[in-house]
């Protein structure tokens, strides 16, 4: 079984725990849900006609861990119910050279917040929504950002994700910029990606 190298900067209290290899399928699906289906579109393109896009998605979770992402799941004993994914940004902007067009506007926004801690994903399975999982994971993300010495935490969200935007606003985030989405063969909801930031 694949070994996971933990990069978490703080201890986790149950029901939160680090990502495990057996979580990859559910976390890939949560990740895609948070993207409004954009990730599945990308994974289908990567997999080709005869490939399995979900295998691409599962593999991506391991790649993200190896590249320094933090993945925290909420598990009350019967498997993953929700996930939070994030990473610290460097001081220099990320290069956009060779990046798929779908990702360019998101990366342009993230490049506006150097040295912030970026909250890439918070997502909860439909059966477990309304139980406070998102707020719990948001608090954990902020604890991790502070522990890493970051003065602000940033995220990018679709303008169509009204419940998520309300959660972020209640948590103290403010919108600072937008970029139009690139749709291509993705037909997801929304028109703009919205960058939101909170000072810590």
């Amino acid at each position: 079984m694949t070994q996971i190298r933990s990069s978490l900067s703080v201890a986790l209290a149950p029901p939160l725990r680090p990502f495990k290899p057996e979580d990859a399928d559910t976390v890939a699906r949560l990740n895609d849900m948070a993207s409004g289906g954009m990730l599945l579109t990308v994974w289908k393109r990567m997999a080709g006609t005869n490939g399995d896009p979900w295998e691409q998605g599962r593999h991506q979770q391991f790649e993200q861990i190896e590249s320094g992402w933090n993945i925290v799941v909420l598990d009350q004993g019967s498997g993953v119910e929700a996930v939070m994914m994030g990473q610290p940004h460097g001081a220099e902007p990320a290069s956009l050279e060779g990046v798929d067009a779908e990702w360019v506007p998101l990366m342009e926004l993230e490049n506006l917040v150097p040295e912030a801690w970026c909250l890439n994903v918070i997502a909860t399975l439909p059966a477990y929504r309304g139980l406070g999982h998102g707020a719990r994971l948001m608090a954990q993300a902020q604890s991790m950002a502070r522990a890493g010495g970051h003065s602000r935490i940033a995220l990018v969200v679709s303008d169509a994700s009204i419940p998520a935007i309300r959660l972020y606003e209640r948590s103290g985030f403010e919108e600072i910029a937008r970029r139009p989405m690139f749709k291509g063969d993705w037909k997801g909801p929304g028109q703009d990606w919205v960058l939101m930031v909170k000072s810590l």
Side-chain angles (χ1 to χ4, degrees):
M1 182 170 287
T2 303
Q3 296 297 308
I4 295 295
R5 173 178 51 81
S6 176
S7 60
L8 299 180
S9 56
V10 296
L12 299 176
L16 302 183
R17 62 167 175 79
F19 172 88
K20 297 178 181 179
E22 55 267 33
D23 303 328
D25 184 69
T26 303
V27 170
R29 292 178 186 278
L30 284 163
N31 202 349
D32 178 60
M33 285 167 39
S35 77
M38 187 179 79
L39 276 171
L40 182 56
T41 299
V42 172
W43 295 337
K44 285 179 178 177
R45 188 164 64 233
M46 293 171 64
T49 305
N50 298 318
D52 177 3
W54 290 110
E55 181 58 30
Q56 295 290 330
R58 290 186 288 272
H59 182 66
Q60 181 175 303
Q61 312 316 306
F62 298 110
E63 290 182 334
Q64 289 168 331
I65 287 280
E66 287 301 312
S67 67
W69 283 43
N70 299 278
I71 305 182
V72 174
V73 303
L74 192 151
D75 178 358
Q76 300 189 86
S78 58
V80 175
E81 298 178 11
V83 68
M84 182 272 290
M85 307 171 72
Q87 62 176 322
H89 279 195
E92 299 299 322
S95 172
L96 302 180
E97 185 176 351
V99 172
D100 289 342
E102 292 96 337
W103 298 113
V104 169
L106 289 95
M107 292 179 64
E108 287 178 344
L109 289 170
E110 291 179 353
N111 281 340
L112 297 176
V113 285
E115 299 187 299
W117 200 91
C118 185
L119 176 56
N120 299 99
V121 175
I122 283 187
T124 302
L125 292 173
Y128 300 102
R129 290 175 184 165
L131 301 176
H133 289 1
R136 185 190 292 261
L137 288 165
M138 174 65 74
Q140 183 65 46
Q142 293 177 66
S143 294
M144 294 167 73
R146 290 188 184 97
H150 298 275
S151 62
R152 56 186 176 170
I153 184 169
L155 59 88
V156 178
V157 62
S158 166
D159 62 351
S161 299
I162 303 303
I165 290 173
R166 288 176 179 156
L167 168 66
Y168 302 146
E169 288 174 340
R170 288 195 303 271
S171 298
F173 285 80
E174 296 181 352
E175 177 183 336
I176 67 167
R178 291 184 176 223
R179 292 288 188 279
M181 295 176 175
F182 177 86
K183 292 296 184 83
D185 53 356
W186 170 55
K187 306 303 179 187
Q191 298 300 317
D192 291 332
W193 294 115
V194 181
L195 175 65
M196 304 183 74
V197 176
K198 177 181 179 178
S199 296
L200 298 173

